[in-house]
Amino acid sequence: MFKLLKYSLLDIVKSRFALLYTVFLILVAISIYQVSEDMSKVSLSLLNIMLMMVPLIAAIFATTHFFNNLEFTELMLAQPVKRRDVFLSQILAVIVVLSLAIIIGFGVPMILWGADVTVLTLLGIGIGLSIIFAGLAFMASVLTRDKAKAIGISLSFWIYFSLVYDGFVLYLIYSLSDYPLEKTTLGLVFFNPVDLGRIIMLMQLDISALMGYTGAFFQQFFGSAKGILLSSAMMLIWMLWPMGVAMRVFRKKDF
Amino acid sequence: MISVQQIHKKFGKLEVLKDFNLEFEAGNSYALMGPNGSGKTTLIKIILGMVIPNSGDVLVQGEAIKGNYAYRSKIGYMPQIGRYPENIKIGQLFSMMQDIRPEIKSYDMELVNDFGLNEMLDKPMHTLSGGTRQKVSAALAFMFQPDILILDEPTAGLDPIAVELLKTKIKKEREKGKLIIITSHILSELEELTNHAIYIFEGDVFFNDTVESLKEITGENRFSTAIARLMEWSLKKNTIKTELSHV
């Protein structure tokens, strides 16, 4: 599999997209570092941009990559290699490139202007979200035969988790405000990787007071070692299941 | 050498292959023909493991291909349209294919040299024309001296010189006693390269015999007219079928 991965990476690293994405992230990071000196404010601004951009780029890039490489994938399936390896080399190449872009794009400005633990958490969340949305995008791609449809599904994952889901949770809290909802909202957060990332980060930044009573409750939960462990485990499940489903389908798919 | 046994394949509601049986023997070269959508490419893809049949078995040199991938090192496959990662160079593509097969040490570089690909190993794939990509596909199919060659429209898009080179190469391999399967719509080419005709019609084997007996049965001297007659018959059979079903 590593042989295949090596050549997939060789191809993808040279594509203009990887370079553009990295440069874009560097520019974003530099401009935010220019605006503020306070490290936690920098982290917060970076977080907000990252939570919107990273899943979007990961979803679109993974889908287009899958379909652009479809004929090549077919050719690889005619070679003496396992289907599983063909699939893993494709998705891992995408994940490695997306992660490298985040590490370099956010990492270089950090080395220049300093960083703390919260920024490292930020990098981790960025990579986690890239893996999750690349997995979701591959799942959408193997389930459809049409590029436009797959991009549409990937985009709706992004819209759903970044925008719609929060609206839904807010509506729920608002309309059921007479009831104690802390545990319910806590549970709901687990079903959205973007929220999960945001909350892990916010807890580290120690600004949960801004989030009122629920925030305090989250702090109590997520701040404890058990909370961090559980939420990281949940992130891990989010990274694994879309990829797992995509691989299962891929292994039985007709090309 | 390849034995296709009772293959059944459906795409949604469309039955592409129905109880399909076929034997390919070493030393023969087969012309796989049929109208568009008759199931030729599906058959090839099933043999290569790219499409998974609903039921039935395929044996390659006695081994079932289900859940098996090593058998593919015995097959050289030239796809109809070869598309490769854009930013990879020809040389890198070759070394990747060689890396995948560590057990094969000696390579057949004849086509690589004949097509002049050895002088452009540093060119990235996205700079290549369609014909050159086709040359790359052909060179790859022959590179590992496989026992079985499956060529899907091998000469489409090639210039006349390259077509001649490829045909000579195919004939050379045929002399060595390899199994060759060719699909094409260019009948003159099939006549030149193959000795066995298989005509697939609506997911069934309509004709499967040597070219000589094809000519004998149809009463035609020329290959192309014999095939034309075969197509006529297959269409007639079809109308009879529909008439019956109306009754």
Side-chain angles (χ1 to χ4, degrees):
Chain A
M1 187 194 88
F2 290 106
K3 288 171 192 164
L4 293 182
L5 180 59
K6 185 179 116 191
Y7 291 97
S8 304
L9 273 177
L10 212 62
D11 172 51
I12 213 172
V13 164
K14 278 195 204 147
S15 68
R16 216 165 285 148
F17 167 81
L19 194 72
L20 280 178
Y21 184 39
T22 314
V23 170
F24 170 76
L25 290 177
I26 289 182
L27 287 179
V28 166
I30 287 177
S31 54
I32 287 173
Y33 266 98
Q34 297 301 324
V35 171
S36 175
E37 298 274 282
D38 184 357
M39 205 52 76
S40 64
K41 275 186 189 161
V42 169
S43 299
L44 198 62
S45 308
L46 283 178
L47 173 76
N48 279 329
I49 291 177
M50 205 179 72
L51 288 179
M52 285 308 266
M53 291 304 298
V54 164
L56 175 66
I57 303 269
I60 299 287
F61 177 61
T63 320
T64 41
H65 178 80
F66 182 88
F67 280 95
N68 286 348
N69 270 26
L70 195 60
E71 282 92 353
F72 181 65
T73 306
E74 286 178 13
L75 186 72
M76 291 320 294
L77 292 177
Q79 309 300 322
V81 285
K82 283 185 198 151
R83 271 196 176 210
R84 196 195 66 197
D85 292 352
V86 175
F87 176 81
L88 284 178
S89 69
Q90 290 290 326
I91 193 166
L92 285 181
V94 169
I95 288 172
V96 168
V97 165
L98 289 172
S99 307
L100 273 182
I102 291 176
I103 291 171
I104 296 170
F106 283 177
V108 169
M110 284 170 196
I111 291 169
L112 288 177
W113 287 293
D116 55 11
V117 188
T118 58
V119 190
L120 284 178
T121 317
L122 188 73
L123 285 186
I125 291 168
I127 291 169
L129 285 178
S130 301
I131 295 174
I132 291 166
F133 278 85
L136 288 170
F138 266 66
M139 192 171 78
S141 304
V142 293
L143 288 172
T144 50
R145 301 207 134 257
D146 180 35
K147 187 177 182 175
K149 217 186 264 173
I151 288 185
I153 297 173
S154 300
L155 269 181
S156 30
F157 276 130
W158 173 71
I159 292 171
Y160 179 71
F161 286 128
S162 294
L163 307 168
V164 178
Y165 194 89
D166 286 351
F168 163 71
V169 171
L170 271 179
Y171 175 76
L172 200 74
I173 292 174
Y174 179 73
S175 55
L176 299 174
S177 53
D178 292 344
Y179 303 91
L181 279 173
E182 288 81 14
K183 286 202 169 150
T184 322
T185 24
L186 199 62
L188 285 173
V189 162
F190 283 152
F191 292 100
N192 183 348
V194 178
D195 277 354
L196 210 55
R198 179 182 289 129
I199 289 203
I200 292 175
M201 192 65 204
L202 289 182
M203 291 305 132
Q204 297 247 333
L205 289 173
D206 225 11
I207 49 166
S208 53
L210 294 177
M211 288 158 60
Y213 180 63
T214 326
F217 190 81
F218 281 151
Q219 173 75 336
Q220 195 193 0
F221 181 80
F222 279 98
S224 62
K226 197 177 121 201
I228 295 273
L229 206 70
L230 193 65
S231 43
S232 309
M234 208 56 209
M235 268 304 243
L236 199 67
I237 291 173
W238 269 103
M239 289 180 217
L240 292 178
W241 83 257
M243 223 197 279
V245 170
M247 187 153 89
R248 276 186 82 91
V249 177
F250 185 88
R251 289 173 79 167
K252 297 211 168 76
K253 191 175 159 74
D254 293 329
F255 283 89
Chain B
M1 203 177 221
I2 298 179
S3 162
V4 179
Q5 295 170 353
Q6 307 210 303
I7 287 291
H8 197 86
K9 181 65 195 174
K10 263 183 178 174
F11 287 122
K13 275 186 182 170
L14 184 74
E15 280 189 313
V16 184
L17 298 174
K18 310 158 200 161
D19 265 341
F20 199 88
N21 292 291
L22 210 50
E23 298 283 329
F24 296 100
E25 306 285 341
N28 279 338
S29 54
Y30 294 83
L32 201 57
M33 292 169 290
N36 298 332
S38 56
K40 289 173 301 204
T41 303
T42 305
L43 175 65
I44 288 177
K45 286 184 168 181
I46 285 176
I47 293 173
L48 287 164
M50 287 153 72
V51 169
I52 295 159
N54 296 110
S55 63
D57 277 314
V58 178
L59 306 180
V60 174
Q61 296 185 328
E63 264 179 277
I65 65 164
K66 222 176 264 173
N68 185 349
Y69 64 94
Y71 79 96
R72 284 180 220 136
S73 64
K74 294 168 197 151
I75 302 179
Y77 170 54
M78 180 177 172
Q80 220 173 82
I81 306 160
R83 284 195 48 192
Y84 304 97
E86 300 266 289
N87 301 302
I88 272 192
K89 293 169 184 161
I90 298 183
Q92 287 171 333
L93 181 70
F94 286 166
S95 50
M96 174 174 84
M97 293 297 185
Q98 290 164 358
D99 272 0
I100 293 173
R101 302 171 173 79
E103 70 283 357
I104 296 174
K105 291 282 183 289
S106 69
Y107 307 120
D108 180 356
M109 301 303 265
E110 197 183 333
L111 276 184
V112 177
N113 298 328
D114 285 352
F115 286 155
L117 294 174
N118 51 345
E119 283 150 21
M120 36 208 261
L121 292 177
D122 276 336
K123 277 198 177 176
M125 297 306 298
H126 67 90
T127 62
L128 304 183
S129 69
T132 315
R133 277 177 217 211
Q134 203 64 5
K135 286 179 186 172
V136 171
S137 303
L140 278 176
F142 287 92
M143 188 176 281
F144 305 100
Q145 298 161 329
D147 296 333
I148 300 162
L149 283 160
I150 299 180
L151 313 171
D152 200 352
E153 309 244 3
T155 59
L158 290 179
D159 62 60
I161 306 171
V163 169
E164 281 315 309
L165 286 169
L166 182 59
K167 279 185 186 168
T168 325
K169 182 68 185 167
I170 294 172
K171 282 180 206 157
K172 214 188 263 178
E173 294 301 306
R174 196 179 64 184
E175 311 288 278
K176 287 186 194 160
K178 295 191 172 171
L179 164 59
I180 298 172
I181 302 171
I182 304 176
T183 76
S184 178
H185 292 293
I186 307 168
L187 297 176
S188 60
E189 189 178 291
L190 288 175
E191 183 174 24
E192 198 181 335
L193 296 172
T194 58
N195 60 9
H196 205 107
I198 295 173
Y199 191 86
I200 298 177
F201 186 75
E202 296 194 337
D204 247 324
V205 183
F206 187 74
F207 182 86
N208 176 16
D209 213 331
T210 59
V211 173
E212 285 87 60
S213 56
L214 168 71
K215 288 176 182 168
E216 210 172 286
I217 290 166
T218 53
E220 302 283 350
N221 291 325
R222 286 175 48 223
F223 184 73
S224 51
T225 42
I227 293 296
R229 183 55 52 85
L230 210 57
M231 290 176 106
E232 248 167 55
W233 287 352
S234 65
L235 291 174
K236 222 175 264 169
K237 179 191 154 196
N238 195 36
T239 51
I240 292 167
K241 239 194 228 164
T242 44
E243 272 163 25
L244 282 176
S245 66
H246 280 300
V247 173

